[in-house]
Amino acid sequence: MKKSSLLLFGLVLFFSVALPLHAYDGAEGCVNSPENPTAILAAVGSAGAFFVSARARIKARRDSTK
């Protein structure tokens, strides 16, 4: 896959996720925000912790088979 098509796909994916999560409707500010910052931070933190632990397990398994 070419870099340009991969970049285009990444941008389309980013905007398709980011636009529905946009919190402001202009007049109201963030009064009617659909986002819960604590839940979003918890999800991002959990995903990061899972990634680190999964990478460590894969590395340990790979090292033990040598």
Side-chain angles (χ1 to χ4, degrees):
M1 188 178 267
K2 292 184 178 180
K3 273 188 170 181
S4 61
S5 62
L6 187 60
L7 178 65
L8 180 64
F9 176 74
L11 285 173
V12 168
L13 181 65
F14 173 75
F15 284 115
S16 67
V17 171
L19 287 176
L21 293 177
H22 195 268
Y24 305 110
D25 65 354
E28 303 266 337
C30 63
V31 173
N32 59 353
S33 174
E35 301 162 350
N36 184 348
T38 305
I40 292 172
L41 287 174
V44 170
S46 298
F50 175 76
F51 177 74
V52 169
S53 67
R55 187 175 61 177
R57 288 180 189 173
I58 291 170
K59 186 177 179 182
R61 184 177 293 173
R62 189 179 312 141
D63 290 343
S64 69
T65 59
K66 287 184 179 180

